[in-house]
């Protein structure tokens, strides 16, 4: 196959983290894709719609309408994508299953249901009709469980391979597919996400001890307010948050043995006075091990023409410790979780993305556009990230940190300059640590010779030992 590519005209921008002045279509690149393709596997194709100097790759993987899914079924509540394995669409008289691991093969089953979601790991399908829930193992062609709720489900989501989260008008339940147990009530919804709030997402922390439920509601002057409820399973207490999207992730911090379980979330107060902010804060750390990790909130650079825009999803790139924030107006923001800094922003679609999921093997983020059914893919372009940070963001400190953490090229000269600065100021230990995170950039005979030239301090080992021991 050959994708149809069309040329666009770009105007340089003065914005330090925006590739081009006008955020239209795929504004970060010089080309846009007019016709989608259907890959045999979402992780194996590479249709790059980007300029050479930008740090993300955007592409369109497939189109649900072209696979026969009607426009009316491609919306919140009817079409789901729990992982990169399946897309499920509920139609008036059938359920359509798109097998993304098998050349996007389509199977249609004559099932009457109001909603259907596939397990993220196994071929296990959950169906909902009214208050009745059923779970089927498609491989074994057997029903695993069923249950009738006492109140309607307004939102549901697989939080793991074995747990299905159920949100009603007043409470949140967890239902394990193992054993015969009925759904277990976890907590009541906070007043800040009351009956007038449409729930749009739910997450649990890696350790299972924290829950985050979020939704949107109408605000003053036509705005859309976002509110979330952070709940501690152990302490049985809730904290309301004003914002539209968030997710949990675990990161490894330099100089700390235990990993940090962090909540990454967007904040915007109802009055909008302080603008959009990104928070990164650790949850659940044992106080005996020290203070919890927390970054100062950073401003999210929302463009002037998107003042009414709001986030609809935040997806973690677990492979690279990045966060992708997707907005109602089609913008994507890429953040570094370790610093909270915005590394890139672009408008990747003119349509609303209503469902998203991450792909752990590649770090890519997938989303589906409402009604049109375009399955889009956004992923880090590692080869371009460090040059972009240095030349466009002009943030050498960020470039050094990210290049060292992810093992990316482009920071060799920065490493050399920072090494000389540290050596010149007598910070031998810090210089050795920089060598350690630089990959092969500073692991050279010249670096060893530089350490050997440093005179030893009385009572201290030779500086070159720092090189070999760090």
């Amino acid at each position: 196959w050959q994708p149809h590519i069309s040329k666009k005209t770009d105007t340089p921008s003065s914005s330090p983290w925006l590739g081009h002045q006008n955020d239209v279509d795929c504004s970060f690149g010089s080309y846009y894709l007019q016709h989608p393709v259907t890959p045999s596997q979402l992780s194996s194709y590479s249709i790059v719609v980007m300029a050479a100097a930008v740090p993300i790759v955007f592409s369109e993987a497939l189109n649900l309408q072209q696979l026969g899914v009607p426009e009316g079924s491609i919306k919140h509540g009817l079409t789901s994508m729990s992982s990169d394995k399946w897309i499920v669409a509920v139609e008036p008289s059938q359920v359509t299953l798109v097998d993304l691991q098998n050349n996007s093969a389509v199977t249609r089953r004559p099932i009457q249901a109001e909603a259907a979601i596939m397990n993220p790991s196994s071929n296990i399908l959950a169906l909902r009709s009214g208050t009745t829930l059923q779970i089927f193992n498609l491989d074994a062609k057997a029903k695993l469980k069923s249950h009738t709720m006492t109140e309607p489900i307004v939102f549901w989501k697989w939080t793991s391979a074995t747990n299905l989260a159920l949100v009603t008008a007043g409470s949140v339940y967890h239902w394990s597919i193992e054993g015969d147990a009925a759904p277990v009530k976890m907590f009541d919804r906070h007043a800040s996400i009351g009956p007038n709030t449409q729930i749009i997402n739910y997450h649990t922390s890696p350790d299972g001890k924290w829950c985050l439920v979020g939704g949107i509601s109408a605000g003053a002057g036509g705005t859309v307010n976002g509110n979330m409820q952070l709940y501690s399973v152990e302490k049985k207490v809730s904290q309301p948050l004003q914002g539209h999207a968030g997710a949990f992730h675990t990161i490894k911090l330099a100089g700390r043995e235990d990993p940090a379980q962090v909540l990454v979330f967007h904040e915007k107060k109802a009055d909008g006075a302080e603008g959009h902010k990104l928070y990164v804060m650790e949850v659940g750390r044992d106080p005996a091990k020290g203070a919890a990790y927390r970054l100062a909130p950073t401003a999210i650079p929302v463009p002037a023409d998107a003042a009414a825009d709001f986030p609809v999803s935040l997806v973690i790139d677990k492979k690279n410790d990045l966060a992708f924030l997707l907005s109602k107006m089609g913008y994507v923001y890429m953040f570094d979780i370790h610093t909270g800094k915005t590394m890139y922003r672009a408008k990747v679609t003119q349509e609303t993305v209503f469902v998203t999921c991450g792909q752990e093997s590649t770090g890519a983020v997938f989303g589906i556009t409402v009604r049109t059914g375009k399955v889009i893919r956004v992923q880090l372009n590692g080869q371009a990230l460090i040059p972009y940070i240095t030349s466009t963001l002009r943030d050498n400190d960020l470039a050094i940190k990210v290049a060292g953490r992810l093992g990316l090229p482009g920071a060799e000269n920065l490493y050399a300059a920072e090494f000389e600065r540290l050596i010149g100021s007598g910070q031998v230990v810090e210089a050795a640590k920089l060598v350690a995170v630089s990959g092969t950039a500073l692991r050279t005979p010249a670096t060893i010779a530089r350490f050997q030239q440093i005179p030893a301090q009385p009572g201290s080992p030779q500086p070159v030992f720092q090189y070999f021991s760090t």
Side-chain angles (χ1 to χ4, degrees):
W1 47 265
Q2 289 292 332
H4 186 115
I5 304 292
S6 295
K7 180 72 173 155
K8 292 190 70 179
T9 302
D10 296 317
T11 305
S13 170
S14 59
S15 176
W17 36 261
L18 176 61
H20 302 88
Q21 191 171 31
N22 297 316
D23 281 330
V24 294
D25 297 324
C26 302
S27 64
F28 50 85
S30 298
Y31 300 90
Y32 66 96
L33 189 64
Q34 284 189 328
H35 302 296
V37 297
T38 303
S40 59
Q41 292 197 24
L42 288 179
S43 59
S44 65
Y45 71 91
S46 179
I47 307 170
V48 179
V49 189
M50 51 173 280
V54 301
I56 69 172
V57 178
F58 169 81
S59 48
E60 186 175 319
L62 54 91
N63 189 292
L64 295 182
Q65 282 202 29
Q66 292 182 0
L67 296 180
V69 179
E71 176 181 324
S73 292
I74 308 173
K75 64 181 182 179
H76 182 75
L78 292 182
T79 292
S80 62
M81 185 178 184
S82 299
S83 70
D84 63 349
K85 298 180 184 299
W86 292 91
I87 294 175
V88 181
V90 174
E91 301 175 23
S93 60
Q94 63 187 5
V95 173
T96 297
L97 309 174
V98 182
D99 187 349
L100 303 175
Q101 303 294 303
N102 185 27
N103 200 32
S104 300
V106 176
T107 302
R108 291 181 167 87
R109 295 175 180 264
I111 299 173
Q112 294 283 346
E114 292 178 7
I117 51 177
M118 187 72 79
N119 184 287
S121 302
S122 307
N123 294 339
I124 295 176
L125 182 68
L127 299 174
R128 175 166 55 85
S129 294
T131 57
T132 300
L133 308 172
Q134 299 181 85
I135 300 177
F136 291 88
N137 185 319
L138 299 184
D139 293 333
K141 298 181 180 179
K143 182 164 69 174
L144 298 180
K145 303 184 75 169
S146 64
H147 182 78
T148 300
M149 299 289 290
T150 58
E151 54 181 329
I153 303 296
V154 298
F155 182 84
W156 63 339
K157 179 181 178 180
W158 290 100
T159 62
S160 70
T162 59
N163 183 67
L164 185 61
L166 311 168
V167 184
T168 68
S171 305
V172 175
Y173 297 80
H174 283 183
W175 191 23
S176 173
I177 65 172
E178 300 174 333
D180 299 324
V184 176
K185 181 178 175 179
M186 300 299 293
F187 58 94
D188 289 325
R189 286 171 56 172
H190 191 269
S192 62
I193 55 168
N196 293 327
T197 299
Q198 178 189 359
I199 302 301
I200 61 173
N201 224 320
Y202 181 76
H203 294 278
T204 57
S205 61
D207 66 3
K209 297 178 180 179
W210 297 83
C211 307
L212 182 74
V213 58
I216 55 176
S217 59
T223 61
V224 176
N225 292 334
N227 285 282
M228 295 178 287
Q229 175 183 356
L230 176 64
Y231 179 77
S232 169
V233 177
E234 287 188 325
K235 298 180 179 179
K236 301 187 184 306
V237 295
S238 293
Q239 178 181 346
L241 304 171
Q242 292 190 60
H244 293 76
F248 297 97
H249 183 45
T250 300
I251 59 176
K252 182 69 178 74
L253 297 173
R256 207 179 103 172
E257 292 187 4
D258 59 314
Q261 178 179 258
V262 296
L263 172 63
V264 184
F265 69 96
H266 159 272
E267 181 195 74
K268 184 187 179 186
K269 303 291 187 183
D271 58 14
E274 300 179 16
H276 299 258
K277 294 182 180 180
L278 184 79
Y279 279 75
V280 179
M281 66 180 192
E282 185 174 9
V283 292
R285 191 185 193 200
D286 182 355
K289 294 183 178 181
Y293 177 75
R294 182 168 184 151
L295 294 177
T298 56
I300 299 176
V302 176
D305 63 352
D309 197 13
F310 61 91
V312 294
S313 179
L314 189 147
V315 183
I316 302 295
D317 172 355
K318 297 180 180 180
K319 181 180 179 181
N320 299 300
D321 290 350
L322 307 177
F324 287 92
L325 189 71
L326 288 83
S327 79
K328 172 74 163 55
M329 293 176 63
Y331 284 92
V332 61
Y333 300 79
M334 183 172 72
F335 307 104
D336 173 40
I337 293 177
H338 287 256
T339 62
K341 293 185 176 181
T342 306
M343 295 196 293
Y344 196 66
R345 180 195 79 200
K347 189 166 188 177
V348 297
T349 177
Q350 298 285 4
E351 299 153 295
T352 299
V353 174
F354 70 97
V355 64
T356 58
C357 74
Q359 185 177 48
E360 292 194 23
S361 61
T362 65
V365 174
F366 293 96
I368 304 176
T369 59
V370 69
R371 292 186 298 277
T372 56
K374 297 174 184 176
V375 181
I376 64 172
R377 183 180 193 266
V378 179
Q379 183 180 1
L380 170 69
N381 176 22
Q383 297 299 308
L385 180 59
I386 304 306
Y388 184 86
I389 293 175
T390 56
S391 63
T392 304
L393 300 185
R394 300 187 184 280
D395 190 337
N396 290 349
D397 179 63
L398 178 63
I400 289 173
K401 291 177 178 177
V402 173
R405 193 180 82 239
L406 300 183
L408 297 176
E412 292 76 12
N413 293 337
L414 295 178
Y415 281 131
E418 179 65 7
F419 175 75
E420 288 300 329
R421 186 190 71 80
L422 292 171
I423 291 294
S425 60
Q427 301 180 70
V428 178
V429 175
E430 288 75 12
K433 291 180 180 178
L434 179 67
V435 173
V437 301
S438 70
T440 59
L442 294 176
R443 289 288 188 188
T444 64
T447 299
I448 296 175
R450 191 73 178 86
F451 275 103
Q452 290 172 332
Q453 295 169 5
I454 304 172
Q457 298 297 317
S460 299
Q462 291 288 337
V464 73
F465 292 156
Q466 291 287 348
Y467 173 92
F468 292 107
S469 62
T470 302

